[in-house]
mmCIF file of all heavy atoms in Angstrom:
data_model
loop_
_atom_site.group_PDB
_atom_site.id
_atom_site.type_symbol
_atom_site.label_atom_id
_atom_site.label_comp_id
_atom_site.label_asym_id
_atom_site.label_seq_id
_atom_site.Cartn_x
_atom_site.Cartn_y
_atom_site.Cartn_z
ATOM 1 N N GLU A 34 12.566 -25.068 2.462
ATOM 2 C CA GLU A 34 13.307 -26.348 2.409
ATOM 3 C C GLU A 34 12.453 -27.384 1.890
ATOM 4 O O GLU A 34 13.058 -28.431 1.315
ATOM 5 C CB GLU A 34 13.660 -26.714 3.921
ATOM 6 C CG GLU A 34 14.698 -25.619 4.417
ATOM 7 C CD GLU A 34 14.970 -25.864 5.935
ATOM 8 O OE1 GLU A 34 14.450 -26.902 6.447
ATOM 9 O OE2 GLU A 34 15.704 -25.070 6.573
ATOM 10 N N SER A 45 2.719 -25.804 7.917
ATOM 11 C CA SER A 45 3.983 -26.344 8.679
ATOM 12 C C SER A 45 4.921 -26.453 7.666
ATOM 13 O O SER A 45 4.868 -26.840 6.510
ATOM 14 C CB SER A 45 3.606 -27.559 9.250
ATOM 15 O OG SER A 45 4.795 -28.265 9.833
ATOM 16 N N ALA A 46 6.234 -26.227 8.241
ATOM 17 C CA ALA A 46 7.517 -26.377 7.272
ATOM 18 C C ALA A 46 8.118 -27.596 7.780
ATOM 19 O O ALA A 46 9.350 -27.791 7.329
ATOM 20 C CB ALA A 46 8.271 -25.177 7.322
ATOM 21 N N GLY A 47 7.645 -28.282 8.544
ATOM 22 C CA GLY A 47 8.296 -29.541 9.007
ATOM 23 C C GLY A 47 9.250 -29.340 10.369
ATOM 24 O O GLY A 47 9.552 -28.234 10.662
ATOM 25 N N GLY A 48 9.465 -30.499 11.165
ATOM 26 C CA GLY A 48 10.204 -30.247 12.340
ATOM 27 C C GLY A 48 9.630 -29.369 13.309
ATOM 28 O O GLY A 48 10.301 -28.630 14.084
ATOM 29 N N GLY A 49 8.276 -29.165 13.408
ATOM 30 C CA GLY A 49 7.730 -28.385 14.358
ATOM 31 C C GLY A 49 7.709 -26.845 14.053
ATOM 32 O O GLY A 49 7.291 -26.146 14.787
ATOM 33 N N LYS A 50 8.199 -26.591 12.768
ATOM 34 C CA LYS A 50 8.329 -25.125 12.376
ATOM 35 C C LYS A 50 6.956 -24.785 11.681
ATOM 36 O O LYS A 50 6.340 -25.470 10.971
ATOM 37 C CB LYS A 50 9.464 -24.921 11.632
ATOM 38 C CG LYS A 50 10.914 -25.148 12.245
ATOM 39 C CD LYS A 50 11.983 -25.044 11.092
ATOM 40 C CE LYS A 50 13.310 -25.083 11.840
ATOM 41 N NZ LYS A 50 14.381 -24.797 10.918
ATOM 42 N N VAL A 51 6.702 -23.358 11.783
ATOM 43 C CA VAL A 51 5.611 -22.786 11.230
ATOM 44 C C VAL A 51 6.215 -21.980 10.013
ATOM 45 O O VAL A 51 7.080 -21.221 10.086
ATOM 46 C CB VAL A 51 4.719 -21.948 12.009
ATOM 47 C CG1 VAL A 51 3.656 -21.092 11.282
ATOM 48 C CG2 VAL A 51 4.199 -22.696 13.233
ATOM 49 N N PRO A 78 13.648 -19.276 15.442
ATOM 50 C CA PRO A 78 13.937 -20.603 14.760
ATOM 51 C C PRO A 78 12.665 -21.448 14.405
ATOM 52 O O PRO A 78 12.779 -22.409 13.611
ATOM 53 C CB PRO A 78 14.905 -21.273 15.619
ATOM 54 C CG PRO A 78 14.675 -20.586 17.034
ATOM 55 C CD PRO A 78 14.340 -19.250 16.697
ATOM 56 N N ASN A 79 11.508 -21.096 15.142
ATOM 57 C CA ASN A 79 10.414 -21.868 14.814
ATOM 58 C C ASN A 79 9.646 -21.389 13.664
ATOM 59 O O ASN A 79 8.477 -21.970 13.415
ATOM 60 C CB ASN A 79 9.468 -21.902 16.092
ATOM 61 C CG ASN A 79 8.949 -20.614 16.495
ATOM 62 O OD1 ASN A 79 9.699 -19.525 16.524
ATOM 63 N ND2 ASN A 79 7.768 -20.413 16.929
#
Side-chain angles (χ1 to χ4, degrees):
E34 295 172 2
S45 175
K50 295 183 178 182
V51 174
N79 64 316

